[in-house]
Amino acid sequence: IVKEKVTHDQVMAAIRSADTGGLLQGALLFDVYRPQQASASLAMDEKSLAVRLTLARSDATLPDEQTEGAVRGVVERTTAQLGGRLRG
């Protein structure tokens, strides 16, 4: 979830610059949700973005710990740079 004023380019730049341990191969924004009215989880000046991350290693299968660490890196970077938060 980010403020409405945050652009697609800003989100993608934050994701690409995140510490993913070199695992991030791609990121694709596939949905944007803007609330019709404010709720406990989403204010009227916010939007919820759904992003598909492609994580991979060429030499091995990714264990859960590496995948979770890469996703955590993306969330931390978007939080620090854009004030984003994970919808939960």
Side-chain angles (χ1 to χ4, degrees):
I1 296 173
V2 294
K3 292 289 188 184
E4 183 65 42
K5 67 182 181 181
V6 174
T7 68
H8 171 266
D9 288 342
Q10 289 174 304
V11 172
M12 291 299 116
I15 290 171
R16 284 191 299 272
S17 69
D19 180 10
T20 63
L23 300 178
L24 183 66
Q25 302 295 310
L28 175 69
L29 175 68
F30 66 89
D31 191 32
V32 178
Y33 174 74
R34 292 178 172 90
Q36 298 295 319
Q37 60 186 17
S39 69
S41 62
L42 200 59
M44 289 301 295
D45 66 339
E46 295 179 317
K47 59 187 172 185
S48 177
L49 307 176
V51 179
R52 177 178 297 120
L53 301 176
T54 303
L55 305 171
R57 284 181 51 182
S58 60
D59 61 338
T61 301
L62 289 176
D64 290 343
E65 297 81 24
Q66 285 185 326
T67 302
E68 291 165 4
V71 171
R72 188 171 40 257
V74 168
V75 172
E76 288 172 357
R77 179 58 56 111
T78 56
T79 298
Q81 283 189 351
L82 306 173
R85 67 183 190 280
L86 192 60
R87 187 172 181 182

